[in-house]
Amino acid sequence: GASPAIGGAGPGLFAAAMFAGRSLGQLLSRRFAERELLVGSGLLAAAGIALAAWSPTAEAALLGLVVAGSGVSLAAPALFSRAGRLAGDASRGAAISTLTTMGYMGFVIGPPIVGFIAGLSDLRMSFTALAVLALGLAAAARLAIPPGKPAFELEEELPPVARA
């Protein structure tokens, strides 16, 4: 029920929050381990998406998109860092390119899936499905990644050639 101008602000605010989150991501990786970053990223994204989906006002929905963008922004860099560190020297490029391809596939197949779910029910339900996926990221990170050190401490343990 919002005006087109308010509705059009959503993607811009989401993108601005992603930019800010990616810019601060390096600082956060100095303080938190990858597991904490990915769990927090998933929870923050889920909370923001749920707020955007179920908020009673357009302003609250826009706030939800800012929160969601902040959460989503931290996931990709943490996953790329982990993939690069876990892969051997010979397969590091392949591991990161595979992860990148999978990420871009989400951009290609995600919107039609959201539209399909919205067509079956409504946009709130499709956003709720996205929030559930974000919770899945948080749960998978919690279960699959052992507690560890902040990423910058892990990089200090790499040989000089691997840091370049």
Side-chain angles (χ1 to χ4, degrees), residues 119-151:
L120 292 176
S121 56
D122 61 15
L123 193 56
R124 286 181 188 223
M125 293 317 299
S126 61
F127 270 46
T128 300
L130 292 174
V132 170
L133 284 174
L135 287 175
L137 168 68
R142 177 104 166 90
L143 295 172
I145 301 173
K149 300 175 182 178

Side-chain angles (χ1 to χ4, degrees), residues 20-107:
R22 291 261 169 100
S23 298
L24 295 172
Q26 186 71 23
L27 294 172
L28 292 173
S29 71
R30 293 185 178 279
R31 180 166 166 86
F32 300 102
E34 287 170 341
R35 178 182 177 183
E36 294 168 319
L37 280 175
L38 286 170
V39 169
S41 172
L43 294 175
L44 196 61
I49 295 167
L51 177 60
W54 296 98
S55 63
T57 66
E59 292 80 11
L62 291 176
L63 175 63
L65 290 172
V66 168
V67 171
S70 299
V72 169
S73 70
L74 301 174
L79 290 170
F80 290 144
S81 173
R82 183 158 183 82
R85 201 172 30 265
L86 291 177
D89 288 340
S91 61
R92 186 168 289 123
I96 293 173
S97 66
T98 299
L99 186 59
T100 302
T101 300
M102 291 171 60
Y104 283 127
M105 280 179 41
F107 284 117

